[in-house]
Amino acid sequence: MSVKTNRESDVLRKIERAFRPQRAGANSSLRVSIGDDAALVRLDSNNEEILTCDWFLESTHFIRDKHPADSIGWKCLARAVSDVAAMGGWPKCFLLSLALPESHTGQWLDQFLGGLRRVSRKLKCPLAGGDTTRRDEILINITVVGAVARGRAVLRSGARPDDIIYVSGSLGEAEAGLRKVRSAQGRVNPKAAELKKHLYPVPRLELGQWLAEKRIASAMMDLSDGLSSDLPRLCEASGVGAKIAAALLPLPKSSSGLERKQSDLLQLALHGGDDYELLFTASRERAKKVPRNFRGLALTQIGEITSARKILLVEGIGQERKLVAGGWDPFRNAATKK
Amino acid sequence: MSVKTNRESDVLRKIERAFRPQRAGANSSLRVSIGDDAALVRLDSNNEEILTCDWFLESTHFIRDKHPADSIGWKCLARAVSDVAAMGGWPKCFLLSLALPESHTGQWLDQFLGGLRRVSRKLKCPLAGGDTTRRDEILINITVVGAVARGRAVLRSGARPDDIIYVSGSLGEAEAGLRKVRSAQGRVNPKAAELKKHLYPVPRLELGQWLAEKRIASAMMDLSDGLSSDLPRLCEASGVGAKIAAALLPLPKSSSGLERKQSDLLQLALHGGDDYELLFTASRERAKKVPRNFRGLALTQIGEITSARKILLVEGIGQERKLVAGGWDPFRNAATKK
């Protein structure tokens, strides 16, 4: 009998179900596995290990003839490290799995490795190994190994009713950049300022570590698929709901020029993916310690956690409506089709 | 300027070169990275960590309409764990990256997860996390995290002239199985005895650990691409050559029935990939401790390490010829085209 599923979360649930008896079993060093930004493994030391892997595939996550190879190299590692930032940890090393057409083993590969090496140095996350193979399409998979002080990892599941909800930076700029790339003829200029956040995202490692170390965040995740997709995940993991205010969202500062109206910018901020900002919650007491600005990065209160398990958006003068996920879901859309 | 490369080793060299300055730098916890079966990371304890990742891709590594989903699930993990066995370590957990067509999220996925779960239990290697996405083709990437007692990992680089060369089990059966699968109409019977080694390989974890713990092996790797491809890699890493005897090779016990002549079986044993047996070397002194049979698994002397950096095959009554790599190289051939 064939069970039809059509969403990433359904596939994940199936995998989780298949391995549940085992994970609850003997191997107690696995503290968190499926269902958070990354896995946590207890080490024999003061630290826990963070494990995460990420697909980065032609046509799904980038467009071969439009995205600069240098930015593909940068972004594939940056977005994987973002999952480590989302736990409050730091990266230790990464593995690169790369499948390439013969035609891309020359200049393209050099530029790809150039971008990858720059971000690897910036994030202090050296290459530890990997696997290469030939393939008609460009396929990338990145595994990042990170660490976090024992007991300090911030999970998705810690949000409690009345906690304040925060986001770092601004939301929607990466999506605006993607639109610009899609509408471009041929490969875009990697130095264009309005594309920076889309092409060269920077994981919020310092912020994540600070929030974990000071025990300020009760729950945390990174925004990879868009607020309207990711906030429900955090709430589901925590068994809570949320109410956010449209007027509080940090809208894109730069945009593709295609969005003129305020409502377009709001849609970008709500549903745009690939920002790699941090979404976190803090109790009202701990929230007093959260500055408006952390080392140059804005931290914005966008709403609060509720006990009612709904995700509500407050618009205008207090009208509430259910927030419907419009962000990234690979089983629904892809970079080229969205 | 585009530099054309056409072999996996060229791509690997390029990656190694791009990251060399960094790897030699500050991060001294990375003891082995590119160039061995897996990476070694020093932990803050008595153990070192082993990290390895492996592609398992439709049309390159398996055929969607011929290989049973159950065996694809089994094999993708078994072959990745084999790299841990090849270092003398044990697996701790794994990450699954899976890209699937919508049409394969039902029965196919159930059977895939069934095989994956069985081997995961058998090898005591639980699922720690992963990433899923939608894709027209089935793409799998497996990361395995393992461990080995500090200083006991057996690398490819330790072989010395005069060391004896050994292989475990028999060689070429997996390749014979692949031929049978290729010539079959539609999906094969997963229970066929002659396909067992091809569909359900078992990594030689116990042997690898014993050889490492007793400090018997001077160098070791697993046979994934075939003896004629893998032996030169071990020799290159060690800065040595090798002389092996055709008459000593443990030929396939079962074959596809397509190979009738002794010379066909020899070709299978020399060039057939996917056996996941261990290739290891031992000094003449240590070799005294190597039994002919380790817990039911044959251990066979097939030749010796030489200082002359050539790979020679001795045939008939002592004729020597250079052994030319005829095994698996994804930049040369693929499962469907080979």
Side-chain angles (χ1 to χ4, degrees), chain A residues 6 43 47 74 92 97 107 117 150 182 186 241 263 283 314 326 338:
Chain A
N6 62 357
L43 294 181
N47 296 327
W74 176 288
K92 282 166 55 184
S97 293
Q107 195 185 14
R117 187 178 52 225
R150 181 170 286 192
R182 272 210 208 100
S263 61
S283 68
V314 182
K338 202 161 149 189

Side-chain angles (χ1 to χ4, degrees), chain A residues 5-6 8 14 18 22 39 49 55 58 60 97 102 105-106 117 120 128 131-133 135 141 143 330 337, chain B residues 3 5-6 8 14 18 22 33 39 49 55 58 60 97 102 105 117 120 128 131-135 141 143 330:
Chain A
T5 63
N6 62 357
E8 187 179 9
K14 199 172 246 199
Q22 175 192 26
E49 184 158 78
W55 285 119
E58 175 176 347
T60 303
S97 293
E102 191 73 45
T105 56
R117 187 178 52 225
S120 155
D131 191 19
T132 63
T133 195
R135 192 84 184 167
N141 194 279
T143 295
K337 298 177 206 157
Chain B
V3 182
T5 62
N6 62 356
E8 186 178 11
K14 201 172 245 200
Q22 174 192 28
S33 54
E49 183 159 78
W55 284 120
E58 174 175 348
T60 302
S97 293
E102 190 74 43
T105 55
R117 188 178 50 225
S120 156
D131 190 21
T132 63
T133 195
R134 199 203 61 78
R135 191 84 182 168
N141 193 279
T143 295

